[in-house]
Amino acid sequence: MPLRRQNRGRCWRWTLRSALDLREKEVLPLSFTMSREPSLREESYQTAARQIEAFLQKGLDVAMVNLGDVSVFATAYYILERIREDGFRTVMAPGVTSFSAVAARLGCSLTQIDAPLHIIPASADLDSALRCPGTKVLMKSGSAIHETVQALERAGLLDRAALVADCGLPTEQVYRDLRELPENLSYFATIIVQGA
C-alpha cells in the first residue's frame, strides 16, 4: 500500500508515497485530529477543506487519497461535504472497504444467504450490538481494544472473532485469537465476528 502513517501528537498525517507518478503533481499533506470532541473535529475538517479549496479556486483538480472506501467511516467524506457546501463540484470514487479487505485477508465471508451483516463503530454500545444476528464488523477498535475484547467475552463471541490491524500496509498484524493481543494496537484495527 502506498500510504504511510506518521504520528504527530494527537493527529495522524497520511502522505502518498508511490502509487502514482507525482513528478508533475503537488502533494498537500493534511492533518486530522483523532479527538472525539466535536468542535476539534470540525475545526480539523474546516482547515483541511480550506487548504483544498485554495487549489480549487485556482481552477486545479484535486484528488484526495483515502484508505478503504470514502463512504464508510471515512474522514475524507467530512471534508468532501464542506467543499460541496462551499459550491465546488465533487465526485466520490469507490474503493475497497477496509472490512472487505480484512475479510479477504482472513479468508472468510461476511455474509450468508439468511443472515445480515452489521457494521459497528468502536463508539457503539457493544453489549447491545453484539446481540444482533449474523456477522458483525467492529470498526476502528484499536484505541478501545481491551473493552471490545471484554464485550466479546461477555457475549460468548470471543472464539468467533478475528482481528486485522493496518490491513494491506507494511505494519499489518493478524490475530485469530484475541486473547493474544498486544497492549497497543493501531487505530485501524478491524474485528470480524462470524455469525452462527
Side-chain angles (χ1 to χ4, degrees), residues 94-116:
V96 176
T97 61
S98 58
F99 55 86
S100 294
V102 167
R105 177 64 178 89
L106 294 171
C108 68
S109 177
L110 290 170
T111 59
Q112 298 171 15
I113 196 163
D114 59 350

Side-chain angles (χ1 to χ4, degrees), residues 22-166:
L22 298 176
R23 287 176 289 195
E24 305 277 326
K25 309 285 187 256
E26 184 170 350
V27 176
L28 174 64
L30 299 172
S31 294
F32 303 102
T33 183
M34 303 308 274
S35 172
R36 290 188 184 264
E37 174 59 44
S39 64
L40 293 177
R41 286 196 317 267
E42 181 59 30
E43 181 182 334
S44 174
Y45 303 153
Q46 291 291 344
T47 298
R50 298 299 84 76
Q51 290 175 294
I52 293 169
E53 287 177 2
F55 289 89
L56 295 173
Q57 289 166 349
K58 294 177 189 175
L60 298 171
D61 289 333
V62 175
M64 186 171 178
V65 177
N66 186 71
L67 285 177
D69 186 277
V70 74
S71 68
V72 181
F73 297 121
T75 300
Y77 185 78
Y78 299 116
I79 310 309
L80 180 140
E81 279 185 318
R82 277 129 192 93
I83 290 170
R84 196 181 279 165
E85 288 168 2
D86 290 341
F88 293 96
R89 184 177 162 274
T90 62
V91 175
M92 290 172 57
V96 176
T97 61
S98 58
F99 55 86
S100 294
V102 167
R105 177 64 178 89
L106 294 171
C108 68
S109 177
L110 290 170
T111 59
Q112 298 171 15
I113 196 163
D114 59 350
L117 170 65
H118 304 276
I119 303 161
I120 305 161
S123 58
D125 173 358
L126 291 180
D127 289 320
S128 295
L130 291 173
R131 287 193 290 270
C132 294
T135 299
K136 285 142 299 268
V137 173
L138 308 179
M139 300 280 299
K140 300 183 179 177
S141 300
S143 60
I145 194 61
H146 298 292
E147 293 86 351
T148 303
V149 169
Q150 290 169 0
L152 287 164
E153 196 162 25
R154 285 192 300 273
L157 295 171
L158 201 53
D159 291 331
R160 294 181 176 271
L163 177 148
V164 179
D166 293 343

